[in-house]
mmCIF file of all heavy atoms in Angstrom:
data_model
loop_
_atom_site.group_PDB
_atom_site.id
_atom_site.type_symbol
_atom_site.label_atom_id
_atom_site.label_comp_id
_atom_site.label_asym_id
_atom_site.label_seq_id
_atom_site.Cartn_x
_atom_site.Cartn_y
_atom_site.Cartn_z
ATOM 1 N N ILE A 1 155.552 45.389 121.017
ATOM 2 C CA ILE A 1 154.368 45.456 120.156
ATOM 3 C C ILE A 1 154.562 46.391 118.972
ATOM 4 O O ILE A 1 153.806 46.338 118.005
ATOM 5 C CB ILE A 1 153.132 45.894 120.979
ATOM 6 C CG1 ILE A 1 153.392 47.238 121.646
ATOM 7 C CG2 ILE A 1 152.759 44.838 122.005
ATOM 8 C CD1 ILE A 1 152.219 47.754 122.457
ATOM 9 N N MET A 2 155.572 47.261 119.028
ATOM 10 C CA MET A 2 155.825 48.154 117.903
ATOM 11 C C MET A 2 156.674 47.489 116.830
ATOM 12 O O MET A 2 156.787 48.010 115.722
ATOM 13 C CB MET A 2 156.515 49.441 118.387
ATOM 14 C CG MET A 2 155.588 50.414 119.079
ATOM 15 S SD MET A 2 156.394 51.976 119.504
ATOM 16 C CE MET A 2 156.966 51.612 121.141
ATOM 17 N N GLY A 3 157.270 46.337 117.154
ATOM 18 C CA GLY A 3 158.099 45.638 116.180
ATOM 19 C C GLY A 3 159.259 46.474 115.688
ATOM 20 O O GLY A 3 159.508 46.562 114.479
ATOM 21 N N LEU A 4 159.997 47.065 116.622
ATOM 22 C CA LEU A 4 161.102 47.946 116.248
ATOM 23 C C LEU A 4 162.267 47.131 115.677
ATOM 24 O O LEU A 4 162.458 45.957 115.997
ATOM 25 C CB LEU A 4 161.547 48.760 117.457
ATOM 26 C CG LEU A 4 160.434 49.636 118.075
ATOM 27 C CD1 LEU A 4 160.944 50.367 119.294
ATOM 28 C CD2 LEU A 4 159.879 50.610 117.048
ATOM 29 N N THR A 5 163.056 47.774 114.839
ATOM 30 C CA THR A 5 164.062 47.084 114.035
ATOM 31 C C THR A 5 165.097 46.359 114.875
ATOM 32 O O THR A 5 165.410 45.192 114.640
ATOM 33 C CB THR A 5 164.764 48.089 113.101
ATOM 34 O OG1 THR A 5 163.795 48.779 112.337
ATOM 35 C CG2 THR A 5 165.741 47.385 112.176
ATOM 36 N N SER A 6 165.670 47.036 115.866
ATOM 37 C CA SER A 6 166.733 46.453 116.694
ATOM 38 C C SER A 6 166.738 47.164 118.042
ATOM 39 O O SER A 6 166.161 48.251 118.185
ATOM 40 C CB SER A 6 168.091 46.618 116.015
ATOM 41 O OG SER A 6 168.444 47.996 115.944
ATOM 42 N N PRO A 7 167.409 46.541 119.030
ATOM 43 C CA PRO A 7 167.496 47.233 120.328
ATOM 44 C C PRO A 7 168.128 48.618 120.217
ATOM 45 O O PRO A 7 167.656 49.582 120.827
ATOM 46 C CB PRO A 7 168.359 46.281 121.164
ATOM 47 C CG PRO A 7 168.105 44.933 120.570
ATOM 48 C CD PRO A 7 167.950 45.176 119.099
ATOM 49 N N GLN A 8 169.205 48.731 119.431
ATOM 50 C CA GLN A 8 169.860 50.033 119.283
ATOM 51 C C GLN A 8 168.931 51.044 118.617
ATOM 52 O O GLN A 8 168.859 52.214 119.023
ATOM 53 C CB GLN A 8 171.143 49.878 118.454
ATOM 54 C CG GLN A 8 172.228 49.071 119.118
ATOM 55 C CD GLN A 8 172.035 47.574 118.941
ATOM 56 O OE1 GLN A 8 171.050 47.133 118.339
ATOM 57 N NE2 GLN A 8 172.973 46.788 119.478
ATOM 58 N N SER A 9 168.212 50.608 117.583
ATOM 59 C CA SER A 9 167.280 51.487 116.894
ATOM 60 C C SER A 9 166.138 51.907 117.813
ATOM 61 O O SER A 9 165.693 53.059 117.789
ATOM 62 C CB SER A 9 166.726 50.786 115.651
ATOM 63 O OG SER A 9 165.737 51.575 115.020
ATOM 64 N N ALA A 10 165.662 50.978 118.637
ATOM 65 C CA ALA A 10 164.560 51.282 119.559
ATOM 66 C C ALA A 10 164.960 52.350 120.566
ATOM 67 O O ALA A 10 164.215 53.309 120.826
ATOM 68 C CB ALA A 10 164.125 50.007 120.278
ATOM 69 N N ILE A 11 166.171 52.179 121.131
ATOM 70 C CA ILE A 11 166.638 53.147 122.131
ATOM 71 C C ILE A 11 166.834 54.521 121.494
ATOM 72 O O ILE A 11 166.409 55.549 122.034
ATOM 73 C CB ILE A 11 167.945 52.648 122.771
ATOM 74 C CG1 ILE A 11 167.678 51.354 123.551
ATOM 75 C CG2 ILE A 11 168.545 53.715 123.675
ATOM 76 C CD1 ILE A 11 168.930 50.646 123.984
ATOM 77 N N LEU A 12 167.480 54.544 120.324
ATOM 78 C CA LEU A 12 167.734 55.815 119.653
ATOM 79 C C LEU A 12 166.426 56.485 119.237
ATOM 80 O O LEU A 12 166.265 57.708 119.404
ATOM 81 C CB LEU A 12 168.616 55.579 118.425
ATOM 82 C CG LEU A 12 169.057 56.835 117.650
ATOM 83 C CD1 LEU A 12 169.800 57.797 118.563
ATOM 84 C CD2 LEU A 12 169.926 56.446 116.446
ATOM 85 N N SER A 13 165.459 55.702 118.727
ATOM 86 C CA SER A 13 164.172 56.258 118.294
ATOM 87 C C SER A 13 163.416 56.859 119.472
ATOM 88 O O SER A 13 162.807 57.926 119.360
ATOM 89 C CB SER A 13 163.330 55.169 117.627
ATOM 90 O OG SER A 13 163.976 54.654 116.490
ATOM 91 N N ALA A 14 163.444 56.176 120.620
ATOM 92 C CA ALA A 14 162.741 56.674 121.807
ATOM 93 C C ALA A 14 163.341 57.986 122.301
ATOM 94 O O ALA A 14 162.623 58.925 122.667
ATOM 95 C CB ALA A 14 162.776 55.624 122.909
ATOM 96 N N ILE A 15 164.696 58.055 122.285
ATOM 97 C CA ILE A 15 165.335 59.274 122.798
ATOM 98 C C ILE A 15 165.150 60.436 121.830
ATOM 99 O O ILE A 15 165.021 61.595 122.242
ATOM 100 C CB ILE A 15 166.829 59.018 123.103
ATOM 101 C CG1 ILE A 15 167.311 59.976 124.214
ATOM 102 C CG2 ILE A 15 167.695 59.140 121.883
ATOM 103 C CD1 ILE A 15 166.753 59.667 125.559
ATOM 104 N N ILE A 16 165.103 60.134 120.506
ATOM 105 C CA ILE A 16 164.840 61.192 119.519
ATOM 106 C C ILE A 16 163.415 61.711 119.683
ATOM 107 O O ILE A 16 163.180 62.929 119.704
ATOM 108 C CB ILE A 16 165.066 60.670 118.087
ATOM 109 C CG1 ILE A 16 166.553 60.405 117.843
ATOM 110 C CG2 ILE A 16 164.536 61.667 117.058
ATOM 111 C CD1 ILE A 16 166.845 59.746 116.501
ATOM 112 N N PHE A 17 162.459 60.797 119.827
ATOM 113 C CA PHE A 17 161.063 61.215 120.022
ATOM 114 C C PHE A 17 160.931 62.038 121.303
ATOM 115 O O PHE A 17 160.216 63.034 121.342
ATOM 116 C CB PHE A 17 160.158 59.991 120.086
ATOM 117 C CG PHE A 17 158.719 60.324 120.354
ATOM 118 C CD1 PHE A 17 157.870 60.687 119.319
ATOM 119 C CD2 PHE A 17 158.207 60.322 121.648
ATOM 120 C CE1 PHE A 17 156.537 61.024 119.569
ATOM 121 C CE2 PHE A 17 156.893 60.655 121.909
ATOM 122 C CZ PHE A 17 156.056 61.009 120.855
ATOM 123 N N ASN A 18 161.630 61.627 122.341
ATOM 124 C CA ASN A 18 161.565 62.323 123.628
ATOM 125 C C ASN A 18 161.982 63.786 123.492
ATOM 126 O O ASN A 18 161.438 64.666 124.173
ATOM 127 C CB ASN A 18 162.463 61.609 124.632
ATOM 128 C CG ASN A 18 162.243 62.079 126.057
ATOM 129 O OD1 ASN A 18 161.170 61.911 126.602
ATOM 130 N ND2 ASN A 18 163.266 62.672 126.649
ATOM 131 N N ALA A 19 162.932 64.056 122.610
ATOM 132 C CA ALA A 19 163.386 65.436 122.400
ATOM 133 C C ALA A 19 162.440 66.200 121.483
ATOM 134 O O ALA A 19 162.069 67.350 121.760
ATOM 135 C CB ALA A 19 164.796 65.431 121.816
ATOM 136 N N LEU A 20 162.021 65.553 120.395
ATOM 137 C CA LEU A 20 161.203 66.252 119.396
ATOM 138 C C LEU A 20 159.813 66.599 119.913
ATOM 139 O O LEU A 20 159.232 67.599 119.494
ATOM 140 C CB LEU A 20 161.093 65.395 118.130
ATOM 141 C CG LEU A 20 162.386 65.177 117.342
ATOM 142 C CD1 LEU A 20 162.121 64.307 116.119
ATOM 143 C CD2 LEU A 20 163.000 66.508 116.918
ATOM 144 N N ILE A 21 159.271 65.771 120.825
ATOM 145 C CA ILE A 21 157.908 66.030 121.292
ATOM 146 C C ILE A 21 157.832 67.342 122.066
ATOM 147 O O ILE A 21 156.799 68.018 122.085
ATOM 148 C CB ILE A 21 157.391 64.849 122.153
ATOM 149 C CG1 ILE A 21 155.878 64.943 122.328
ATOM 150 C CG2 ILE A 21 158.080 64.800 123.499
ATOM 151 C CD1 ILE A 21 155.085 64.812 121.056
ATOM 152 N N ILE A 22 158.937 67.736 122.702
ATOM 153 C CA ILE A 22 158.955 69.024 123.416
ATOM 154 C C ILE A 22 158.769 70.169 122.427
ATOM 155 O O ILE A 22 157.951 71.077 122.649
ATOM 156 C CB ILE A 22 160.271 69.186 124.201
ATOM 157 C CG1 ILE A 22 160.352 68.140 125.320
ATOM 158 C CG2 ILE A 22 160.382 70.599 124.786
ATOM 159 C CD1 ILE A 22 161.665 68.168 126.093
ATOM 160 N N ILE A 23 159.514 70.115 121.304
ATOM 161 C CA ILE A 23 159.377 71.146 120.276
ATOM 162 C C ILE A 23 157.962 71.149 119.712
ATOM 163 O O ILE A 23 157.348 72.206 119.500
ATOM 164 C CB ILE A 23 160.402 70.906 119.152
ATOM 165 C CG1 ILE A 23 161.807 71.263 119.631
ATOM 166 C CG2 ILE A 23 160.057 71.715 117.910
ATOM 167 C CD1 ILE A 23 162.050 72.733 119.844
ATOM 168 N N ALA A 24 157.405 69.957 119.480
ATOM 169 C CA ALA A 24 156.072 69.854 118.884
ATOM 170 C C ALA A 24 154.991 70.452 119.778
ATOM 171 O O ALA A 24 153.973 70.955 119.283
ATOM 172 C CB ALA A 24 155.748 68.395 118.581
ATOM 173 N N LEU A 25 155.208 70.399 121.089
ATOM 174 C CA LEU A 25 154.183 70.870 122.030
ATOM 175 C C LEU A 25 154.359 72.335 122.435
ATOM 176 O O LEU A 25 153.524 72.856 123.179
ATOM 177 C CB LEU A 25 154.187 69.992 123.283
ATOM 178 C CG LEU A 25 153.695 68.553 123.095
ATOM 179 C CD1 LEU A 25 153.875 67.754 124.383
ATOM 180 C CD2 LEU A 25 152.233 68.528 122.660
ATOM 181 N N ILE A 26 155.413 72.999 121.967
ATOM 182 C CA ILE A 26 155.615 74.409 122.341
ATOM 183 C C ILE A 26 154.428 75.288 121.931
ATOM 184 O O ILE A 26 153.944 76.089 122.747
ATOM 185 C CB ILE A 26 156.938 74.947 121.748
ATOM 186 C CG1 ILE A 26 158.131 74.343 122.486
ATOM 187 C CG2 ILE A 26 156.994 76.474 121.843
ATOM 188 C CD1 ILE A 26 159.478 74.756 121.932
ATOM 189 N N PRO A 27 153.903 75.191 120.694
ATOM 190 C CA PRO A 27 152.741 76.029 120.344
ATOM 191 C C PRO A 27 151.546 75.808 121.264
ATOM 192 O O PRO A 27 150.860 76.761 121.635
ATOM 193 C CB PRO A 27 152.427 75.595 118.905
ATOM 194 C CG PRO A 27 153.720 75.085 118.367
ATOM 195 C CD PRO A 27 154.381 74.412 119.521
ATOM 196 N N LEU A 28 151.305 74.561 121.663
ATOM 197 C CA LEU A 28 150.186 74.281 122.560
ATOM 198 C C LEU A 28 150.434 74.887 123.938
ATOM 199 O O LEU A 28 149.525 75.438 124.566
ATOM 200 C CB LEU A 28 149.976 72.772 122.672
ATOM 201 C CG LEU A 28 148.794 72.319 123.544
ATOM 202 C CD1 LEU A 28 147.479 72.840 122.973
ATOM 203 C CD2 LEU A 28 148.745 70.797 123.640
ATOM 204 N N ALA A 29 151.684 74.798 124.418
ATOM 205 C CA ALA A 29 152.011 75.376 125.728
ATOM 206 C C ALA A 29 151.845 76.891 125.722
ATOM 207 O O ALA A 29 151.387 77.488 126.706
ATOM 208 C CB ALA A 29 153.437 75.003 126.116
ATOM 209 N N LEU A 30 152.205 77.548 124.614
ATOM 210 C CA LEU A 30 152.109 79.007 124.530
ATOM 211 C C LEU A 30 150.683 79.469 124.291
ATOM 212 O O LEU A 30 150.223 80.454 124.874
ATOM 213 C CB LEU A 30 153.016 79.528 123.416
ATOM 214 C CG LEU A 30 154.522 79.311 123.588
ATOM 215 C CD1 LEU A 30 155.278 79.892 122.410
ATOM 216 C CD2 LEU A 30 155.011 79.919 124.891
ATOM 217 N N LYS A 31 149.972 78.761 123.415
ATOM 218 C CA LYS A 31 148.602 79.160 123.081
ATOM 219 C C LYS A 31 147.621 78.738 124.146
ATOM 220 O O LYS A 31 146.629 79.408 124.403
ATOM 221 C CB LYS A 31 148.220 78.562 121.731
ATOM 222 C CG LYS A 31 146.895 79.077 121.190
ATOM 223 C CD LYS A 31 146.629 78.520 119.797
ATOM 224 C CE LYS A 31 145.306 79.055 119.243
ATOM 225 N NZ LYS A 31 145.016 78.499 117.896
ATOM 226 N N GLY A 32 147.880 77.607 124.795
ATOM 227 C CA GLY A 32 146.993 77.106 125.832
ATOM 228 C C GLY A 32 145.935 76.176 125.277
ATOM 229 O O GLY A 32 145.532 76.269 124.122
ATOM 230 N N VAL A 33 145.495 75.263 126.122
ATOM 231 C CA VAL A 33 144.431 74.337 125.751
ATOM 232 C C VAL A 33 143.112 75.089 125.743
ATOM 233 O O VAL A 33 142.822 75.880 126.649
ATOM 234 C CB VAL A 33 144.373 73.163 126.758
ATOM 235 C CG1 VAL A 33 143.175 72.263 126.472
ATOM 236 C CG2 VAL A 33 145.664 72.372 126.695
ATOM 237 N N ARG A 34 142.313 74.864 124.734
ATOM 238 C CA ARG A 34 141.035 75.561 124.637
ATOM 239 C C ARG A 34 140.131 75.152 125.790
ATOM 240 O O ARG A 34 139.978 73.974 126.084
ATOM 241 C CB ARG A 34 140.354 75.228 123.308
ATOM 242 C CG ARG A 34 139.039 75.981 123.109
ATOM 243 C CD ARG A 34 138.398 75.631 121.773
ATOM 244 N NE ARG A 34 137.125 76.320 121.614
ATOM 245 C CZ ARG A 34 136.310 76.137 120.580
ATOM 246 N NH1 ARG A 34 136.657 75.296 119.612
ATOM 247 N NH2 ARG A 34 135.170 76.790 120.503
ATOM 248 N N TYR A 35 139.556 76.162 126.449
ATOM 249 C CA TYR A 35 138.688 75.888 127.591
ATOM 250 C C TYR A 35 137.229 76.053 127.205
ATOM 251 O O TYR A 35 136.830 77.066 126.638
ATOM 252 C CB TYR A 35 139.010 76.827 128.756
ATOM 253 C CG TYR A 35 138.047 76.680 129.905
ATOM 254 C CD1 TYR A 35 138.079 75.560 130.719
ATOM 255 C CD2 TYR A 35 137.073 77.644 130.147
ATOM 256 C CE1 TYR A 35 137.181 75.407 131.757
ATOM 257 C CE2 TYR A 35 136.175 77.506 131.182
ATOM 258 C CZ TYR A 35 136.226 76.380 131.987
ATOM 259 O OH TYR A 35 135.333 76.222 133.003
ATOM 260 N N ARG A 36 136.437 75.033 127.522
ATOM 261 C CA ARG A 36 134.988 75.110 127.338
ATOM 262 C C ARG A 36 134.336 74.968 128.707
ATOM 263 O O ARG A 36 134.632 74.007 129.427
ATOM 264 C CB ARG A 36 134.488 73.998 126.415
ATOM 265 C CG ARG A 36 135.048 74.042 125.000
ATOM 266 C CD ARG A 36 134.419 72.931 124.161
ATOM 267 N NE ARG A 36 134.959 72.886 122.817
ATOM 268 C CZ ARG A 36 136.022 72.163 122.465
ATOM 269 N NH1 ARG A 36 136.658 71.436 123.383
ATOM 270 N NH2 ARG A 36 136.459 72.161 121.223
ATOM 271 N N PRO A 37 133.463 75.904 129.092
ATOM 272 C CA PRO A 37 132.839 75.823 130.414
ATOM 273 C C PRO A 37 132.127 74.499 130.623
ATOM 274 O O PRO A 37 131.313 74.076 129.802
ATOM 275 C CB PRO A 37 131.838 76.992 130.397
ATOM 276 C CG PRO A 37 132.400 77.948 129.399
ATOM 277 C CD PRO A 37 133.037 77.101 128.347
#
């Protein structure tokens, strides 16, 4: 459904995203999710 360019591109894009999302979420992990009673 994403209409990715090729099988090789799809695999590489998924593995790149898998690594980058960890870096992107570090500030949230350190700061914490805002808690509302």
Side-chain angles (χ1 to χ4, degrees):
I1 57 179
M2 284 185 269
L4 301 178
T5 306
S6 66
Q8 293 83 358
S9 175
I11 295 169
L12 184 57
S13 299
I15 207 71
I16 291 174
F17 177 84
N18 192 63
L20 294 180
I21 195 64
I22 294 176
I23 287 290
L25 291 175
I26 288 177
L28 182 62
L30 296 181
K31 189 176 181 181
V33 174
R34 183 180 178 184
Y35 174 72
R36 298 183 183 90

